[in-house]
Amino acid sequence: MNKLVFYSLLIGFVAGFLGGVVGVGGGVIMTPLMVATLNISQHKAHGTSLFALVFTGLTGAIAYGIKGSIDVMASLFLATTAIITAREGAKFANSLPEWKLKKAFGAFLIFTALILILKPYLSNLHYFEVKGELKGIFLLITGIIAGFLAGMMGIGGGIIMVPALVLILNYGQHIAQGTSLLCMVPSGAVGAYTHLKLGNVIKNLLPGLITGVIVGTYIGSNIAHLLSEANLRIIFALIITWTGIRFLKTQKP
């Protein structure tokens, strides 16, 4: 096994394991790890991360689907707009100079940390429920935002979709996550393909990342109940906040 395969496998495993334990997507972990350890550009880290996450999203969607924890119709509504904006998000990321993309990613990491801390309280924040035609409109709008961020940041989009489904549509956490994963497959594929055409995907890293994140997610998800999830979540939130601040401090060359 050469060094590149080993590092990509390790990065994928760490991202999948931590994501499985604390319930956050692997993109917020894979991207900074690739930038720090493999010394690749921010643009290529985003594109490669998103490409790998399409396959892990498919694996996760199948697992949730077997358990009946997916609202297929809601996923279709989300994906309808997400596949359009994911492409635009990837193109927008590519248009930014690297220092600006790093700052944007830093702000996104801090936002992710905030959502992670609030995660246990999301269902308690639910005050109203959107139904009927408004539900479809809400899903389409959520898809617009989630798709754009997925394409731009190299993430699955669950950090937007899951809280939206829980807070506004009163979905259970598992159904929200399963629905988000299913939507991520087509929207992420469009964003990943756009990054590939723009030259922002390092193909040699994909086998290791995909294998590592699938194995890591499986192990992390299965041992999550054995660990103190609350403490781990806070620690992880602090780590990605610190990482986000470092990215925000990126100076213009």
Side-chain angles (χ1 to χ4, degrees):
M1 182 185 295
N2 63 48
K3 185 182 292 187
L4 191 64
V5 174
F6 173 76
Y7 277 118
S8 62
L9 186 64
L10 184 60
I11 289 170
F13 179 81
V14 171
F17 180 80
L18 290 176
V21 169
V22 300
V24 69
V28 297
I29 308 165
M30 271 196 290
T31 299
L33 283 178
M34 282 192 285
V35 172
T37 63
L38 300 179
N39 196 30
I40 65 177
S41 73
Q42 192 73 22
H43 295 84
K44 292 185 185 298
H46 285 211
T48 306
S49 169
L50 183 57
F51 209 102
L53 288 174
V54 172
F55 293 90
T56 58
L58 179 60
T59 304
I62 291 172
Y64 276 87
I66 291 172
K67 297 177 181 178
S69 297
I70 290 180
D71 184 336
V72 176
M73 189 56 65
S75 287
L76 290 175
F77 269 88
L78 288 165
T80 299
T81 48
I83 58 176
I84 300 171
T85 55
R87 180 174 180 271
E88 298 307 313
K91 291 167 66 176
F92 179 70
N94 189 67
S95 71
L96 293 175
E98 186 161 10
W99 68 275
K100 283 189 177 180
L101 187 58
K102 284 188 173 183
K103 282 182 173 290
F105 187 70
F108 178 74
L109 286 179
I110 294 172
F111 170 73
T112 301
L114 179 62
I115 293 295
L116 195 59
I117 291 172
L118 294 176
K119 181 183 174 183
Y121 313 105
L122 289 180
S123 58
N124 296 330
L125 296 175
H126 175 76
Y127 291 109
F128 59 92
E129 184 174 352
V130 174
K131 296 181 179 180
E133 293 181 358
L134 286 178
K135 177 180 177 180
I137 295 172
F138 172 77
L139 289 169
L140 292 173
I141 293 173
T142 302
I144 290 173
I145 300 169
F148 186 83
L149 282 176
M152 180 183 176
M153 297 299 176
I155 50 102
I159 197 68
I160 300 296
M161 287 186 279
V162 172
L165 293 174
V166 171
L167 288 174
I168 309 300
L169 300 185
N170 200 25
Y171 278 37
Q173 187 70 26
H174 286 90
I175 294 181
Q177 290 180 188
T179 303
S180 168
L181 283 167
L182 182 59
C183 168
M184 172 186 150
V185 177
S187 61
V190 171
Y193 179 73
T194 305
H195 275 293
L196 179 66
K197 298 295 287 183
L198 292 169
N200 291 332
V201 176
I202 303 176
K203 298 176 184 177
N204 293 342
L205 295 178
L206 293 175
L209 289 174
I210 294 168
T211 303
V213 79
I214 290 174
V215 174
T217 301
Y218 177 80
I219 295 175
S221 299
N222 279 281
I223 70 168
H225 65 285
L226 301 175
L227 305 171
S228 176
E229 190 267 346
N231 291 334
L232 284 171
R233 187 166 33 79
I234 297 299
I235 293 170
F236 185 70
L238 291 174
I239 290 172
I240 61 175
T241 298
W242 174 75
T243 306
I245 291 171
R246 291 193 63 185
F247 273 90
L248 275 175
K249 288 182 177 180
T250 302
Q251 297 296 317
K252 180 180 178 180

